[in-house]
Amino acid sequence: MGDPDPIAVLLKFGFLAVLYLFLLFIARSALRDLRRGDDAVPAAAAPRMAAPGPGSDGAPDGDGLSPRLEVVAAKGLKPGHAFAVRSGAQLGRAESSDVRIDDSFASASHARIYPSARGLVIEDLGSTNGTYVNGRQLTRPLELEVDDTVRIGDTELRYRE
C-alpha cells in the first residue's frame, strides 16, 4: 500500500468542513430562537387577541380593534379573526407572542410591529425563513399601509385600520 491519493484526502476534509459548517448553522439558528423567546413583551403590556364577534365566524365586532391584523389564512384560526396592534405586537411561534403563529416556518420571535411617528412599522427579527409583505421579503423595517398582506410561512394576515 502506497501513499493515499492527495485528492481523496482533500475531498474527505472538504466534506467534513461542509458538514461542520452545516451543524454550526443549525446550532446558531436554534440558539437564536431560544434567546429571542426570552426577549418577549411581558404579558401585562401585550396587546391581546380579539374576542370573536357575535357571529360564529370569529370576525371582530367593532370593539375598538383599530389598527389590527386580520387572519386571511392560518392554522388553528378562522379567517377574519383579529389581533389588536395599536401599541405594537410581537409575532412568532412562542407562547409569549402577542400574535401567536402556529406554523413550523415561523421562528419563536419572528417579527414585530411597533408605532412610529407616521404609523405602524413591521420589522423582521432575523427569522430563519423571512417575513413577507405583499409578496416581498422584508430586508428592513417597513411602514404598514392599509390592506398590506403579511406572510410568515403559510400564515397570512391583513393589516386594517
Side-chain angles (χ1 to χ4, degrees):
M1 293 234 155
D3 291 330
D5 184 17
I7 293 178
V9 171
L10 186 61
L11 286 174
K12 287 178 186 178
F13 280 113
F15 175 74
L16 286 175
V18 169
L19 180 64
Y20 282 121
L21 287 174
F22 176 72
L23 292 174
L24 180 66
F25 173 77
I26 297 289
R28 183 175 159 258
S29 179
L31 285 174
R32 183 175 50 203
D33 276 355
L34 289 172
R35 201 176 9 226
R36 288 237 169 88
D38 295 339
D39 297 338
V41 177
R48 291 292 126 209
M49 188 183 318
S56 61
D57 63 352
D61 60 355
D63 61 355
L65 290 176
S66 184
R68 65 192 178 277
L69 288 178
E70 286 184 2
V71 173
V72 175
K75 180 180 173 186
L77 294 172
K78 293 182 180 179
H81 204 93
F83 296 92
V85 294
R86 175 183 301 277
S87 59
Q90 186 150 342
L91 292 76
R93 203 176 58 236
E95 290 288 332
S96 59
S97 294
D98 303 317
V99 178
R100 189 163 187 288
I101 299 174
D102 186 17
D103 191 314
S104 60
F105 293 105
S107 297
S109 184
H110 197 97
R112 73 178 180 131
I113 294 175
Y114 59 92
S116 74
R118 296 180 51 198
L120 289 177
V121 174
I122 187 167
E123 174 183 29
D124 185 84
L125 296 174
S127 65
T128 304
N129 295 306
T131 303
Y132 294 81
V133 175
N134 299 327
R136 298 184 71 166
Q137 187 170 5
L138 286 179
T139 56
R140 60 181 172 77
L142 176 74
E143 186 176 334
L144 285 170
E145 303 281 336
V146 175
D147 291 332
D148 277 351
T149 300
V150 176
R151 183 172 58 82
I152 295 174
D154 294 327
T155 302
E156 285 193 22
L157 307 162
R158 184 154 297 127
Y159 177 67
R160 303 283 193 195
E161 287 188 345

